[in-house]
Amino acid sequence: MKRRDFVKMAGLGATAAAASTVVNAPFVHASKKTPIRWRLQTYAGPALAEHVIKPQIDAFNKIASGDMVIELYNADQLVPTPELFRAMQRGTIDAVQSDDDSIAAPVDVAVFAAYFPFATRYSLDVPTLFNHYGLNEIWQEAYSEVKGVTWLGAGAWDPCNFATKQPIRSLADLKGKRVFTFPTGGKFMQRFGVVPVTLPWEDVEVALQTGELDGIAWSGITEDYTVGWADVTKYYLTNNINGAWVGSYFANSDKWEQVPEHLKTLFKVTMDSSNYYRQHWYWWGEAHYRTKGGKLELTTIPEEEWAQVEAEAIKYWDEIAATSPRCAKVVQILKDYTETMKKAGKPYRYA
């Protein structure tokens, strides 16, 4: 082939390729799928959501590369927290991060979510109970009986301590205190004179300032500083009624089934990543703010007096066990686990 003919043929080939690109471009563009879109609401307000879920959602959206986009909404932003379960069933929202107790999940095991009194001592107790003591299977069984919502998994958060405007140094000091807390934890602490108060999350700080609330039993000290409650309370009680909040992820069942398997896997992997982040964030924060926070004075109820609360909790466990065979099974697991931890000794249990 002569050089002139080669150049000529090459030019014709390039023209044809360019023409092919122009013709095919609209087809390639048109074939791109519309991304799956979810609206997920968390139990947490904006400052707290920055730690407990936003990094997860940001990572999911980035890795999903446009195949799926999750829009994150904070506490009560779309739906009041107590109505979240029903809203998810109806498809008003697609997914939820919360505890079963606060969203009024219609399952018997919901009572064990959030802060079931003295069920845990440390945050690692939660994944241990779910992954190695059978709670995963029990939760899956319970939610399989409810139409429209799929339970995706549980994780650990922070302990439950009182932050108050007046010091708490004895059980008598708890009497009459109006406290923002979770349903089950509040019901239990009524036995010691606490008055549980339910408010939208964003109203709590103002309620503390105006005197509508005397304190909160909704978190550990990390959240008190993170969300601003340390600015409107003065004292932090080191005794806690639970060592770790149990929260879960839920999705509308129809919406979950529409998600491809690789994106389901991605969502669960980012759930695990979020659970891991909270483990060390809270572990760091609970010690850091007790020793270096500078805003809250620490108070303690003597151990021999606080033992009355722990003893009453075991009575409460037995009352809950009597409500259903499944609840009885969970309570027995908690008792067996507690006994194992005590026998194991340090560092699992110090007393």
Side-chain angles (χ1 to χ4, degrees):
M1 183 181 292
K2 294 181 180 179
R3 178 180 174 82
R4 181 180 297 174
D5 292 334
F6 176 82
V7 172
K8 189 175 183 180
M9 291 294 290
L12 288 172
T15 303
S20 174
T21 301
V22 172
V23 170
N24 289 334
F27 171 76
V28 171
H29 179 73
S31 66
K32 185 172 177 63
K33 294 180 180 178
T34 302
I36 298 168
R37 289 192 174 274
W38 269 16
R39 299 197 301 175
L40 185 155
Q41 184 168 310
T42 177
Y43 73 97
L48 184 56
E50 285 288 329
H51 290 277
V52 300
I53 192 169
K54 189 175 183 297
Q56 173 201 352
I57 301 306
D58 288 346
F60 178 91
N61 288 338
K62 183 177 181 179
I63 300 170
S65 300
D67 290 338
M68 182 169 173
V69 177
I70 299 177
E71 299 169 359
L72 177 62
Y73 294 88
N74 299 317
D76 305 306
Q77 196 170 353
L78 294 179
V79 179
T81 295
E83 300 174 18
L84 276 175
F85 195 92
R86 298 301 182 190
M88 187 167 35
Q89 275 187 314
R90 294 192 300 267
T92 304
I93 55 175
D94 305 302
V96 167
Q97 180 206 46
S98 181
D99 67 280
D100 325 46
D101 197 25
S102 297
I103 63 175
V107 293
D108 49 5
V109 295
V111 70
F112 299 105
Y115 291 124
F116 191 66
F118 298 100
T120 62
R121 294 292 177 131
Y122 309 111
S123 59
L124 276 174
D125 290 340
V126 176
T128 302
L129 283 162
F130 274 86
N131 291 294
H132 301 283
Y133 278 75
L135 294 196
N136 271 334
E137 291 73 18
I138 292 173
W139 258 245
Q140 288 164 357
E141 175 189 85
Y143 282 97
S144 71
E145 300 168 3
V146 179
K147 292 183 178 180
V149 170
T150 299
W151 176 79
L152 301 177
W157 272 251
D158 53 338
C160 183
N161 294 68
F162 285 83
T164 55
K165 298 167 71 174
Q166 300 296 325
I168 305 296
R169 295 190 173 95
S170 69
L171 291 181
D173 292 335
L174 290 171
K175 291 181 179 179
K177 294 293 187 292
R178 295 160 297 177
V179 174
F180 175 67
T181 188
F182 289 89
T184 295
K187 183 178 180 181
F188 171 70
M189 290 308 295
Q190 280 182 302
R191 300 178 181 215
F192 301 93
V194 172
V195 180
V197 178
T198 301
L199 290 171
W201 194 90
E202 286 295 329
D203 294 344
V204 172
E205 186 169 342
V206 173
L208 286 164
Q209 291 173 310
T210 60
E212 185 179 352
L213 288 175
D214 299 306
I216 50 177
W218 200 84
S219 68
I221 200 168
T222 308
E223 291 189 9
D224 292 337
Y225 276 83
T226 300
V227 306
W229 293 339
D231 297 322
V232 290
T233 54
K234 294 182 179 180
Y235 301 93
Y236 181 81
L237 182 64
T238 59
N239 313 76
N240 63 52
I241 65 169
N242 191 293
W245 190 78
V246 179
S248 287
Y249 291 83
F250 310 83
N252 174 277
S253 297
D254 290 339
K255 295 297 181 64
W256 179 247
E257 289 308 313
Q258 292 169 17
V259 176
E261 287 301 319
H262 72 287
L263 292 177
K264 286 181 179 177
T265 300
L266 175 60
F267 188 80
K268 289 193 172 183
V269 167
T270 58
M271 277 173 47
D272 288 342
S273 176
S274 184
N275 291 341
Y276 170 69
Y277 174 80
R278 289 192 309 275
Q279 286 277 353
H280 61 76
W281 182 60
Y282 283 121
W283 189 254
W284 161 80
E286 296 306 301
H288 173 80
Y289 289 114
R290 283 192 185 199
T291 58
K292 297 181 174 64
K295 296 179 180 179
L296 296 177
E297 179 182 334
L298 305 184
T299 64
T300 301
I301 295 175
E303 287 187 17
E304 59 274 14
E305 189 175 1
W306 190 249
Q308 298 175 44
V309 185
E310 297 190 27
E312 192 65 28
I314 300 305
K315 296 179 185 178
Y316 184 66
W317 286 18
D318 291 336
E319 292 171 16
I320 296 301
T323 62
S324 78
R326 189 156 50 213
C327 285
K329 188 175 181 179
V330 174
V331 167
Q332 189 58 53
I333 288 172
L334 293 177
K335 288 182 176 181
D336 292 343
Y337 179 73
T338 300
E339 189 61 26
T340 298
M341 295 297 105
K342 287 180 178 179
K343 287 180 178 179
K346 299 177 181 179
Y348 298 95
R349 293 292 185 268
Y350 283 81

